[in-house]
Amino acid sequence: MGVVVDPAVPAEVAGLLRANASLLSRVRAGWAPRASSGGSSRPRRGPSSTLLLAATPVVIALMAVLLESPFAPAGFVLLGTYVFVVLVKIASMSEPPEDERPHERQVYEQARWYDGRYLIGEDFDQEARLVLGRAQRAVGVVLHSHVNAEGLLDDAGNAVMLPAQEWEIARLLAKLSALRREHRELWERGLAPEVAPVLRPLEHALSASEAAVVARVEALERYAAHVREAERAYHAHAQIEELRARLPRYEELLAESGADGLALAELEKLAGDADTLERTLRRSVESAHEAFLHLES
């Protein structure tokens, strides 16, 4: 499963969070990008700076010897080269260091800012992952269907309501997972016999909450089933309409060949099939609309 994001989070940020599930896991575990030293008054000294400082006495001594010898011109060349290298190094040290991993820092900052507005795999136990997967598949069936894209369903309502349903289901499953985890830890630590009756109402609360969430998911799945039926009728209707558009060419061929009396009935049946499928599609869409209204309640 991927990252589930609150629909109220801006789309650009939501896309960034969904695309970086592994990095969000690291953030949740306590990882943070290395602090930039760009705001420090003292620049960082790298290995090359240390080497340059260590070599300075040697270069100065060598230049002194050369200047007192017949090779004085070489000493001036060495002095000029060394001064140039030092100036270049000083200029590079005065520049603020660039962030080595700007993408990771961006994800980290958005993850911290929108903490609590997204959920990752670690937030769910195995049972919750299975239930959430069912909900996400049902939502995907509806939102990716042609009947929804063509506006035969309430496409605007689907675009708003279904992501909100997915987020609410995920949020409840995450809370349920956390409580179940705590409950298991209590049992694993060992409980006094007197404590067991106290835990029974809590176990009942967990079971009742899980049943309520599963009921929401089943409602989504019923809606998706109606949409699948409408989708099948939509594709079949489109294929029949394509064949019906070719009927005049077939009728012309039959008339010219003198065989029109033999196959005319079959061609008429094709036109009737198109009408039947159109009614089937209309009924399927109406059923999907009813399921959608039930989902809203």
Side-chain angles (χ1 to χ4, degrees):
M1 58 158 288
V3 180
V4 186
V5 185
D6 182 347
V9 172
E12 183 179 352
V13 177
L16 180 71
L17 296 175
R18 290 191 185 99
N20 290 276
S22 60
L23 192 51
L24 292 179
S25 296
R26 291 168 59 194
V27 173
R28 184 70 63 81
W31 171 85
R34 190 168 51 192
S36 173
S37 61
S40 175
S41 59
R42 296 172 57 188
R44 289 185 299 178
R45 180 181 294 174
S48 60
S49 303
T50 304
L51 183 61
L52 195 62
L53 290 173
T56 299
V58 177
V59 174
I60 292 174
L62 182 58
M63 285 190 299
V65 172
L66 289 172
L67 291 173
E68 294 296 329
S69 70
F71 301 101
F76 284 110
V77 172
L78 179 60
L79 175 62
T81 303
Y82 186 73
V83 169
F84 175 76
V85 171
V86 170
L87 291 174
V88 169
K89 186 62 183 177
I90 290 173
S92 65
M93 289 174 65
S94 64
E95 294 176 357
E98 295 181 359
D99 196 336
E100 294 177 2
R101 300 182 185 274
H103 176 72
E104 289 188 356
R105 176 165 292 279
Q106 182 187 19
V107 174
Y108 172 79
E109 290 173 351
Q110 297 294 0
R112 293 294 300 275
W113 182 261
Y114 289 99
D115 187 32
R117 308 279 296 280
Y118 64 90
L119 297 164
I120 58 177
E122 289 89 325
D123 292 315
F124 306 96
D125 58 20
Q126 183 59 30
E127 298 96 323
R129 287 193 192 101
L130 293 174
V131 175
L132 180 58
R134 289 168 55 187
Q136 290 177 323
R137 285 190 292 274
V139 169
V141 165
V142 177
L143 294 182
H144 298 145
S145 67
H146 290 86
V147 287
N148 186 64
E150 293 294 327
L152 297 175
L153 305 176
D154 185 358
D155 52 335
N158 285 332
V160 174
M161 188 272 290
L162 292 182
Q165 285 276 349
E166 180 188 355
W167 169 249
E168 184 64 12
I169 289 169
R171 189 185 65 79
L172 292 171
L173 287 172
K175 292 184 72 172
L176 186 62
S177 298
L179 288 172
R180 280 196 297 227
R181 193 177 302 117
E182 293 173 3
H183 199 73
R184 281 193 294 267
E185 289 171 356
L186 278 173
W187 278 107
E188 289 169 0
R189 290 207 306 263
L191 295 173
E194 296 80 5
V195 178
V198 179
L199 286 182
R200 289 195 188 99
L202 302 181
E203 292 174 346
H204 177 72
L206 289 175
S207 299
S209 298
E210 181 180 12
V213 175
V214 170
R216 285 191 180 210
V217 174
E218 289 172 347
L220 273 176
E221 289 175 328
R222 285 193 295 273
Y223 180 40
H226 285 295
V227 172
R228 283 195 193 94
E229 189 64 33
E231 189 82 343
R232 281 193 290 269
Y234 173 84
H235 286 296
H237 180 260
Q239 290 169 351
I240 289 291
E241 283 297 319
E242 183 180 351
L243 291 175
R244 187 157 66 172
R246 300 176 187 174
L247 273 180
R249 293 166 58 197
Y250 284 88
E251 290 172 346
E252 180 183 354
L253 176 64
L254 287 171
E256 291 178 0
S257 63
D260 53 326
L262 299 176
L264 191 57
E266 292 298 323
L267 292 175
E268 291 297 331
K269 182 178 181 300
L270 180 65
D273 288 343
D275 294 334
T276 301
L277 274 170
E278 188 171 0
R279 289 192 297 271
T280 301
L281 175 61
R282 194 178 299 114
R283 284 195 302 270
S284 298
V285 169
E286 288 171 357
S287 298
H289 276 296
E290 290 173 5
F292 179 82
L293 293 175
H294 177 71
L295 196 64
E296 283 187 310
S297 59

